[in-house]
Amino acid sequence: MDDLIFRLRAVRFSYLNKYPALCGIDMDIAGGQKIAILGANGSGKSTLLQLLDGLIFPDAGSVEIFGRFLDEAALNDADFSGRFRSRVGLVFQNPDIQLFCSTVKEDILFGPLQLGLDRVKMKKRVDEVIASLGIGDLLERSPHQLSVGEKRKVSIATVLAIDPDILLLDEPTAGLDPQTSRHIMDIIIEANEKGKTVVTATHDLHIVEEIADLAYILSREKKIARSGPVEELLKDEELLRSNNLMHIHKHRHKDAVHIHPHQHLEHHI
Ligand SMILES: Nc1ncnc2c1ncn2[C@@H]1O[C@H](COP(=O)(O)OP(=O)(O)OP(=O)(O)O)[C@@H](O)[C@H]1O
Ligand SMILES: [Mg+2]
């Protein structure tokens, strides 16, 4: 594949050697792709993103990035690690893990300062990110005192501030109001149009068509149930239902109860 960034082969990972989280994952991610990782709760989406971000390493199988194994030895190499950290950014599912400074401003500046990015460019970039996310009024606040949605926006800002080529986003729209959610989707789309590779984990089928061209569905067995173009996968009701991405809705209308399958594609009234 041209411009291959990530290459995963037979990747297995368990927490504490006893809680399996990924059970044999093969995946190729090329530069500029827009990918969704779909799957029910506990199917391994967050674990997969953490592997791609070099925070954890496979028990078996391999993760390669730019043709080099992404393992502890690679990340102990300061040169590689610096390049890797400036090119790959992960927005955690839980903002409380991402945000650890005493003010929002310090959190946003932390990554660029750590990576020693050019001061003038950094200031311009950070100002743009703050304006784009509309978080200028939060800068002096403690991240831990923010609302869930505000925390998520700040988390996203900390990663965008680094301006990585590869964005890994774990449920980036969870807990956001519709307008903010739309804005985050636009940021994802725009980043991809500028050539960035974007990998988003979500179980919100609502957003998938816009934020991804290709999707991987993780099964309850923590394997890839199917991968392919998003529009193809979203048409396959049986695939979605069997992977807990579509639920059966019960509607009560006076005496009658109607039951029908429901995808998270439209808002339900
Ligand atoms: N720190 C941990 N210790 C032990 N087991 C864990 C830990 N984190 C995750 N797991 C387990 O690993 C599996 C995959 O979890 P993961 O968080 O990757 O799923 P997910 O698809 O991101 O779920 P969600 O949609 O709820 O965010 C689950 O069975 C989970 O219980
Ligand atoms: Mg998760």
Side-chain angles (χ1 to χ4, degrees):
M1 193 188 289
D2 288 343
D3 204 9
L4 185 64
I5 294 186
F6 283 107
R7 183 174 191 269
L8 277 66
R9 289 294 176 271
V11 167
R12 292 182 164 272
F13 181 84
S14 309
Y15 289 93
L16 309 169
N17 289 322
K18 62 176 173 178
Y19 303 114
L22 294 171
C23 300
I25 303 291
D26 293 325
M27 187 177 272
D28 288 322
I29 299 179
Q33 283 188 324
K34 202 163 58 155
I35 292 180
I37 311 290
L38 308 176
N41 293 134
S43 57
K45 302 181 296 296
S46 296
T47 305
L48 180 57
L49 290 188
Q50 288 175 52
L51 273 161
L52 297 179
D53 196 44
L55 298 175
I56 52 177
F57 304 103
D59 301 331
S62 60
V63 177
E64 282 173 57
I65 180 160
F66 316 130
R68 177 161 179 180
F69 286 114
L70 184 59
D71 51 20
E72 278 180 277
L75 288 173
N76 284 334
D77 169 351
D79 221 35
F80 174 84
S81 170
R83 268 184 291 130
F84 177 73
R85 292 281 162 232
S86 61
R87 292 194 65 184
V88 181
L90 168 66
V91 176
F92 283 85
Q93 181 169 9
N94 178 359
D96 289 325
I97 297 178
Q98 193 116 32
L99 306 173
F100 50 85
C101 295
S102 49
T103 65
V104 166
K105 192 172 167 184
E106 286 170 48
D107 259 320
I108 296 174
L109 288 173
F110 182 84
L113 287 173
Q114 280 286 308
L115 293 168
L117 303 186
D118 175 273
R119 291 267 169 165
V120 178
K121 271 198 210 147
M122 175 178 90
K123 179 158 183 357
K124 183 166 175 280
R125 173 75 190 164
V126 165
D127 287 346
E128 279 168 10
V129 168
I130 291 167
S132 158
L133 287 164
I135 51 174
D137 55 338
L138 304 178
L139 296 180
E140 303 306 330
R141 304 261 315 264
S142 157
H144 299 289
Q145 291 167 355
L146 302 178
S147 77
V148 174
E150 288 168 339
K151 280 183 191 176
R152 185 159 317 277
K153 283 196 271 184
V154 175
S155 285
I156 293 170
T158 64
V159 172
L160 293 180
I162 296 168
D163 200 16
D165 301 330
I166 303 147
L167 282 166
L168 309 172
L169 305 160
D170 200 349
E171 308 274 359
T173 56
L176 296 182
D177 62 54
Q179 216 175 333
T180 311
S181 180
R182 175 72 251 171
H183 186 56
I184 299 304
M185 286 164 67
D186 289 339
I187 288 176
I188 294 174
I189 295 163
E190 200 185 307
N192 180 253
E193 282 170 358
K194 285 189 187 149
K196 294 186 189 296
T197 309
V198 191
V199 184
T200 309
T202 183
H203 43 215
D204 185 0
L205 296 187
H206 222 101
I207 68 168
V208 176
E209 253 173 323
E210 285 197 73
I211 54 124
D213 301 321
L214 272 178
Y216 286 81
I217 297 184
L218 296 181
S219 66
R220 272 176 255 233
E221 292 75 35
K222 297 152 169 85
K223 294 179 179 166
I224 293 171
R226 187 93 67 78
S227 63
V230 166
E231 68 269 27
E232 252 172 51
L233 300 193
L234 290 184
K235 270 191 234 146
D236 191 337
E237 285 196 7
E238 183 43 41
L239 174 73
L240 299 178
R241 199 172 14 246
S242 59
N243 287 287
N244 215 6
L245 288 162
M246 186 163 74
H247 55 213
I248 307 289
H249 250 274
K250 265 191 189 178
H251 291 272
R252 290 179 193 280
H253 302 289
K254 293 195 176 143
D255 316 334
V257 177
H258 303 284
I259 298 180
H260 68 85
H262 167 65
Q263 295 185 28
H264 283 199
L265 286 172
E266 299 154 37
H267 272 303
H268 213 78
I269 303 170

